[in-house]
Amino acid sequence: QVQLVESGGGLVQPGGSLRLSCAASGFSLSSYAMSWYRQAPGKERELVASIASAGRYTNYAGSVKGRFTISRDNAKNTVYLQMNSLKIEDTAVYYCKAWGPTEYWGQGTQVTVSS
């Protein structure tokens, strides 16, 4: 069964850190570029970060640049999003997406930044 499963979300205080993981099963991530998106209540889903299939190229939304880092381990079939210096406005459901020969989405993981 083809699926992407996100994990690592939770409740964190402002200024804290979380690392999200996105594990693929049923297909190999190595042929896919990967992205993290997020969707806050009442807002549209927005692109947070992307990484090329071999991991050489990355790009970030301006709102997270310098705080978030996307990475991948193709041997583990997993993509990560390291989130540092979290802000209240980072609160959202975070989704990973694989895009290439076809497109797959994960089910999302909740990140809540609150004091």
Side-chain angles (χ1 to χ4, degrees), residues 19-114:
R19 189 176 83 152
L20 306 183
S21 299
C22 171
S25 60
F27 72 105
S28 173
L29 282 182
S30 61
S31 298
Y32 291 78
M34 297 295 297
S35 293
W36 285 95
Y37 285 75
R38 66 186 182 186
Q39 187 167 20
K43 295 188 176 181
E44 294 188 353
R45 192 171 295 190
E46 64 172 347
L47 177 63
V48 174
S50 296
I51 187 168
S53 58
R56 184 172 180 178
Y57 301 106
T58 59
N59 69 278
Y60 299 89
S63 59
V64 307
K65 194 171 292 186
R67 299 188 297 122
F68 290 11
T69 303
I70 188 171
S71 61
R72 65 192 298 157
D73 185 339
N74 287 342
K76 293 184 178 180
N77 229 23
T78 302
V79 175
Y80 305 96
L81 185 68
Q82 177 67 44
M83 304 187 296
N84 300 327
S85 302
L86 282 161
K87 303 176 180 180
I88 291 175
E89 53 263 40
D90 294 318
T91 295
V93 178
Y94 284 71
Y95 300 89
C96 64
K97 182 181 84 169
W99 45 288
T102 186
E103 185 175 293
Y104 302 109
W105 286 89
Q107 83 292 345
T109 186
Q110 176 70 47
V111 172
T112 303
V113 185
S114 175

